[in-house]
Structures are given as C-alpha cells and as structure tokens.
Amino acid sequence: MIEYLDLIMFAALMVAVLSGFPVSFSIAGVAIGFAYLGWMLGVMDVSLLGALGQRAYGLIGNQVLIAIPVFVLMGAILEKSKIAEDLLDTMGRCFGQLRGGLGISVVLVGTLLAASTGIVGATVVAMGMIALPSMLRAGYNPALSAGIVCTAGTLGQIIPPSTLLIILADVMSNAYQQAQYEQGKFAVEALSVGQFFAAAMLPGLLLVVLYLLYILIRGALRPTDMPPADFGLARPDRHEIVAAIVPPVLLIFAVLGAILGGVATPTEAASVGAVGALLMAGRRIGINPRLILIGAVALVLLGLLAGAYPVRLQRSDNGVLEWVIGAVYALLAIIGLGAVVLALRAAIRTKIIHEAATSTLTMTAMIFATILAAGFFSLVFIGLGGEERVAHLLENLPGGPNGALLFVMLFVFVLGFFLDFVEISVIVLPMVAPSLIIMGHDPIWLGVLLAINLQTSFLTPPFGFSLFYLRAVAPEEITTGHIYRGVVPFIALQAIGILLIWVLPSIATWLPSVLF
C-alpha cells in the first residue's frame, strides 16, 4: 500500500476536484495531507518542501506568465464593450442567405474573437445570446446550432493570443530544459511564447477549415438542417462591414505581428492590445470615431518610427535633427494619449472598466492560485516517487515513443471530461512532458498537439466548460441533450485535426522555424 502512495494521491486529487470544492484549495489540501502522511510513514523527505517558497517567488516573477492578466484585460474590455455583437450581426447578414450561412458566420466570428479576445466563456455566451436564436428562427437543427456555437467559442484556446498557449509555453519550456539537463546538456535552450503562438497559427486555421467544410458538406447533404435565413435580413453595406471587421483585424495584426515579428515581448504586445481594445471600446460607446482613429494612427506611427529611428534626448551630442524628431515623437505621444484618455473616461463613465477589471482579477487569481497549488502538489508527488513511476511507465509502454505519446494523449483526453485545462496543464503535463521530449518528440509540436487536446476538454461532457456556458444562456427549446449531441461531430473533427498534425508535423513546426 505504501509503495502506491503517489497513485493514491493522484486518485485523491480527482475526488477532491470533482467534489465541487474550490480547485486551488483542493489541490493544496491534498498535497498537505499526503505530505504529512508520507512523512509519518517515512517514505518522503519533508525537507523537499523547502523549495515551495522558491517556486512561489519564481511564479510571481515569471516574465512569461505576466502576460496573462494583460491579455485577459484586453479580452474583457472587448467583451464588455459588446464589440462581438456588431461582428455577429454584420457577419450574419453577410452570409445568412446562404445554406449554412449563419453557421459559417458563427465560425468566422469565433475565429476573429479568438484572435482578439481569447476568452472562451465570453465568446460562447455572446454567440449563444445573439446567434443561436437567429439560427433557430431560421430553422436550423437545434443540436447542430448548439454544437457550432460551442465549438466556435473554443477557438480562443488554440488561436493566439491564448491563455492556454501562454501556460503551455511556460510548462513545455521548463520540461524542455529539464530534459536537456537529464541528457547531460548544461548549455540549455529555452522556448518562448512567440514560438508557441507561431506554431499554433496554422493548426488553429486548420481546425477552422475543418469546421467550415463540415458545415458546407452537411448543408449540402441535409439541407433541412441548415436552411437559408430568409426572414428579412438586410445585407450590410461596405461601410458597415469595414466598421465591424477592420478594427478587430488591425488589433490582431498589431498584437500578433509585434510578437511574431520580434518587435515586442508577449507582455508588451498584450499592453498594446489592451490600449487598442480600450480605443475600440471608446469608439463603440460614443467617442467621435475620427478622434479615435487619429489617436490610433499617432500611436502606430510612434511605435514604427521610434523602432526604426530611436532618439535619446539625454545624450549631449544630439543635433537639431534629433531634437526635431524628438519633438515629433512627443507630439505623436500626446495625440495618442489624448485619445486613450477620452476612451478611458467614457469606459469609466459606462462602468466598462470596472466590469473588465473585476473579470480580469477573478480569472487571473484563479489561474495563478491553481498554478501555485499545483507547484506544491508536484513537489509532494515527486517526494513520493511519482516522477520516477511516470517516467518508468512511459518508457515501458509498447510502441516506443509513439506508444507513449498516444497513451498521454488518450489520458489527457479522458481527464478533459472532468478537469479544467489549467489543472491538466500545470499538474499532469510537467510529469509527462520531460520523458516524452527525452524520447525524441519535438517540444513545440508536442505542445500544439496537447493544446488541441486540451481545447477539446471544453467540449467533452459532462464538465465541458463551453457546454455549461451555453446551457446558461441558451433558449428554452435547446436542451442539455441537444448540446451534448451537437458537440459530438466537432469532437471528431478535433481528433481529425490532431491526427493530421501528428502525420504532418510541419503544420505546427514550419512557421516557428521560419520566424525564429
């Protein structure tokens, strides 16, 4: 019994999490209980817990994870300012007259919102409240409608900028460094968030293509499931399309372009995104669009010019040209700051900032508390010999490296029925990732496969978060059974996407190899 204490600890964690008690407290409580039990039974050196303070300090000062609250704030501002509603309305009127057009518009809007907000709950709720009633009114199959909304909403987990990818980048980078140490390499390499963002771009778009193909094929084979929407939708004019789509697209290019182009770190790019989201919110809530546009252009010009020709006015050898350029930069900064202040005042007046800050604080506290508790759990698990057991298990599975990876993918998939992606990422993956990397799997490719697998956990009953979000806002005619049945085909599409990336690793590895 004592030699299986690590396995019993993991089983106890599952029971504690499923009990409904707050996750971070459940993880920490199980760790404390089994640390004391292991010490009492003489199978654990309790001095190992001395590393807990170091882990907490490392978490607080982690330059990668600092980007999470800023990206969450960016998404929260966009959510609270109802920008998703404009997108859904415009895209629905663009494609509504086609067979399956409303489904196509939901997937495309989900893609844009994923790349600009990255918040699954906000996207699913917005589309569940706005798009789902329109789909039902047009005669769409209820289960299919629910499945499309749930699945489109989860794209925020795989398309950058994504909280999941930031956490995975940190976990996989640590695992990669640990694997290098175990292989005797002491000049270790690290992996960046930018590499994982680049690696996830094409796989994310691949999933979008699979969803769209499924909608088009099902619309052709079973036209009664997705009839054209013919209840008086007026097609939007060019101005409406530009006003709804261009600002989010420009924000996406500003954030991802800065990271992938090496111009800014993820935290700096997230700050740019938060300012951009604030300007978009200001335009949405009544600030003169020309003032917002002038301020945005001034800030973009300032970033580009200062990057191309930096000026340091404190230097004694500056000439007239440097002082003139410095004055121009100062003027651009003042114009941009003026637009930001106007947008901020409007956002404070309409309580958007209050709601966004509360949402950001809640989500950030949950994520960081879970990561901190998971660090405690992993220390105790290592002390009880769990790390050696996991490595031995993976090394002795039939099929070699591919067999071990298949086992881990299936294990993560099953855990996704019951656990959140944060818990799986920070508890399970640090145990298995180093062994898989030592076996020869590319860490970036491995991270993308795991990211899509974890994205699927939002769709798998009974505890898929997207299912809960949609259940809370769905019309009365949508039952829980409809939602569960509706996501099944899309879970199969997720599996097809994983299989394609497994067979063709270059889908995930090509873009980061070119950019980095």
Side-chain angles (χ1 to χ4, degrees):
M1 188 74 163
I2 294 177
E3 62 266 27
Y4 296 113
L5 204 58
D6 53 336
L7 298 180
I8 298 171
M9 179 184 182
F10 196 81
L13 174 67
M14 298 296 106
V15 174
V17 170
L18 294 177
S19 70
F21 200 67
V23 170
S24 55
F25 296 125
S26 298
I27 298 170
V30 169
I32 291 171
F34 276 84
Y36 183 76
L37 186 60
W39 173 61
M40 290 291 293
L41 295 174
V43 295
M44 177 179 167
D45 181 5
V46 79
S47 65
L48 185 65
L49 297 183
L52 184 60
Q54 185 179 354
R55 288 201 172 196
Y57 180 78
L59 172 65
I60 294 170
N62 190 309
Q63 294 298 312
V64 173
L65 298 180
I66 286 174
I68 289 177
V70 193
F71 273 125
V72 173
L73 177 63
M74 166 184 152
I77 292 173
L78 291 176
E79 175 208 349
K80 303 302 179 184
S81 57
K82 311 296 183 186
I83 288 170
E85 294 182 9
D86 285 349
L87 268 175
L88 278 167
D89 177 66
T90 304
M91 297 294 279
R93 288 188 287 134
C94 276
F95 295 99
Q97 290 82 359
L98 303 175
R99 183 178 291 118
L102 288 178
I104 292 170
S105 68
V106 168
V107 172
L108 293 178
V109 169
T111 305
L112 284 173
L113 292 178
S116 54
T117 69
I119 300 178
V120 169
T123 306
V124 173
V125 168
M127 293 196 292
M129 295 177 68
I130 303 162
L132 193 54
S134 298
M135 296 168 83
L136 296 175
R137 212 160 51 242
Y140 272 54
N141 179 286
L144 177 62
S145 303
I148 291 173
V149 169
C150 281
T151 308
T154 64
L155 286 169
Q157 290 301 306
I158 188 63
I159 294 179
S162 155
T163 303
L164 168 61
L165 290 175
I166 296 172
I167 296 173
L168 262 182
D170 184 60
V171 169
M172 295 304 296
S173 182
N174 291 336
Y176 185 43
Q177 292 178 52
Q178 182 181 336
Q180 291 175 88
Y181 280 127
E182 293 183 16
Q183 291 170 330
K185 301 175 184 176
F186 296 103
V188 296
E189 299 176 23
L191 302 173
S192 69
V193 174
Q195 287 173 284
F196 281 89
F197 278 8
M201 288 290 290
L202 293 181
L205 295 176
L206 171 66
L207 291 178
V208 173
V209 171
L210 289 176
Y211 301 158
L212 293 175
L213 287 175
Y214 173 74
I215 292 171
L216 291 171
I217 292 171
R218 180 156 176 173
L221 297 179
R222 301 177 64 177
T224 55
D225 282 356
M226 290 184 285
D230 56 356
F231 44 84
L233 287 173
R235 289 183 68 88
D237 57 33
R238 185 178 302 175
H239 175 74
E240 286 182 283
I241 295 173
V242 169
I245 295 175
V246 170
V249 170
L250 290 178
L251 183 64
I252 292 164
F253 274 107
V255 175
L256 295 184
I259 296 172
L260 301 182
V263 177
T265 66
T267 307
E268 293 165 346
S271 303
V272 171
V275 171
L278 183 62
L279 291 174
M280 288 173 61
R283 171 185 166 275
R284 178 71 171 73
I285 55 183
I287 302 298
N288 190 322
R290 290 186 179 179
L291 294 177
I292 297 295
L293 180 61
I294 291 171
V297 169
L299 291 174
V300 170
L301 282 176
L302 178 62
L304 293 175
L305 294 175
Y309 195 90
V311 173
R312 291 172 177 80
L313 296 180
Q314 70 269 29
R315 291 178 53 166
S316 59
D317 59 344
N318 284 329
V320 175
L321 177 62
E322 281 74 19
W323 282 100
V324 170
I325 293 174
V328 171
Y329 289 175
L331 179 62
L332 291 174
I334 291 170
I335 294 172
L337 182 61
V340 171
V341 169
L342 286 174
L344 185 60
R345 283 181 58 192
I348 292 173
R349 188 177 64 250
T350 55
K351 303 292 186 182
I352 286 177
I353 285 295
H354 303 67
E355 296 174 6
T358 302
S359 177
T360 302
L361 183 62
T362 304
M363 184 173 292
T364 303
M366 182 273 291
I367 291 173
F368 278 80
T370 304
I371 294 174
L372 185 59
F376 189 7
F377 181 92
S378 64
L379 273 178
V380 178
F381 190 76
I382 291 169
L384 295 175
E387 191 175 44
E388 291 84 355
R389 187 187 298 277
V390 170
H392 182 265
L393 171 66
L394 294 178
E395 289 167 2
N396 290 279
L397 284 171
N402 286 329
L405 179 56
L406 180 61
F407 171 80
V408 169
M409 293 293 287
L410 291 174
F411 183 58
V412 168
F413 178 74
V414 172
L415 285 179
F417 282 77
F418 309 103
L419 299 182
D420 184 28
F421 77 94
V422 178
E423 296 135 42
I424 300 174
S425 298
V426 298
I427 296 174
V428 179
L429 297 190
M431 301 177 194
V432 299
S435 297
L436 292 175
I437 293 171
I438 289 172
M439 289 178 179
H441 293 299
D442 182 279
I444 293 179
W445 172 75
L446 178 62
V448 171
L449 285 179
L450 290 167
I452 298 176
N453 202 343
L454 291 170
Q455 178 201 354
T456 310
S457 71
F458 277 80
L459 299 173
T460 47
F463 296 114
F465 277 77
S466 288
L467 313 181
F468 286 150
Y469 294 138
L470 185 60
R471 177 64 275 169
V473 298
E476 291 182 1
E477 57 265 41
I478 296 290
T479 66
T480 302
H482 284 140
I483 297 173
Y484 283 5
R485 287 199 306 274
V487 297
V488 170
F490 294 97
I491 294 173
L493 291 175
Q494 296 280 119
I496 292 171
I498 291 174
L499 181 61
L500 288 173
I501 295 166
W502 190 317
V503 174
L504 301 170
S506 58
I507 296 175
T509 58
W510 174 76
L511 190 56
S513 69
V514 170
L515 296 177
F516 297 91

